[in-house]
Amino acid sequence: MEPDAMRSLWVVLWFGATVLVLGLPLWPAWREMHHPSDVKPLPLPSGVAIGGANLQRQGAELWPPFDDSQAADELIVHGGDRRHEVDHPGDVIVEAGAQIDSVLRARRVHCDGARLPRTVHATTAIDLGAGSRFHTLSAPVIRTAVRGEDRQREDRVELSYAEALNRPRHCHAGDFELPASTTLVADLVVQGSLTLGQDSIHMGNVKVHGDAELLAGAALVGALFVQGSVHCHGNNRLSGPVAAGKRVWLGPDCVVGRADAKASVSAWDVRLDHDVTVFGRIACVEAGETL
């Protein structure tokens, strides 16, 4: 083959390869521009037309039938059932293995170790059995399973109005530990980690740059904001909101908030032991679990 012909062939091949490489990524956009796919009507199930009766039949096909007692009071989502959304005026029981994809709203929710949807709202209470997993819970009272003798949980400490107005403010450069059975009234910023000793009481808002640890029986009357993790060993009382950049672990018999003063727990993930009560809201970025 002549050199000029060979050179022309290479030019043609190079041009074709260039067009192919540059044009392939643009092909879907060109096709969508000339033949739009998002303007076509969506197909409807057979037998469905515009009108009240047909829409009611369509809704009946999408949702399993409920008996009269369930519609009036209680709905059980059995293990293996899958629903997109549950909005029920009465009580809802979610059994282990059930799946609700979007949201759950009810008067009262009882979870028997199931994976709850991202948003759960109850107008009276949410009860969580061991092994329950959740993201955002909102109710006047959120409780985990009681083990042993059930006892009345009472607020042991109250912040008076005078103390609330006259709290001093302190900033601690390193780690800070409040000794056991000691009471401190102050707003506190800790640049290290915080430890509240056994049966100690801290009255005031606290911001911690490290981790916070509340030993058994310690109480905090105020808000707690922690960049690290919060570990409550058990029988702790926290009256205000609790927020952590990593994990919040509430041990046995911990109480956050009061019935007349709602609070919240928010963190990357939350672990709840037995006999835990939270008045208000729990929010997790990743996941929460009852132990």
Side-chain angles (χ1 to χ4, degrees), residues 178 182 184 186-188 196 200-206 219-222:
L178 183 63
T182 302
L184 174 64
D187 289 332
L188 189 63
L196 299 185
S200 64
I201 300 174
H202 183 275
M203 294 184 174
N205 300 320
V206 181
L220 175 62
V221 184

Side-chain angles (χ1 to χ4, degrees), residues 66-75 88 91:
F66 305 141
D67 59 40
D68 295 337
S69 62
Q70 288 178 335
D73 186 32
E74 184 178 273
L75 167 65
H88 188 68
D91 297 351

Side-chain angles (χ1 to χ4, degrees), residues 172 175-180 193-197 215:
H172 195 81
D175 297 340
F176 178 81
E177 180 174 358
L178 183 63
S193 295
L194 169 71
T195 301
L196 299 185
L215 301 185

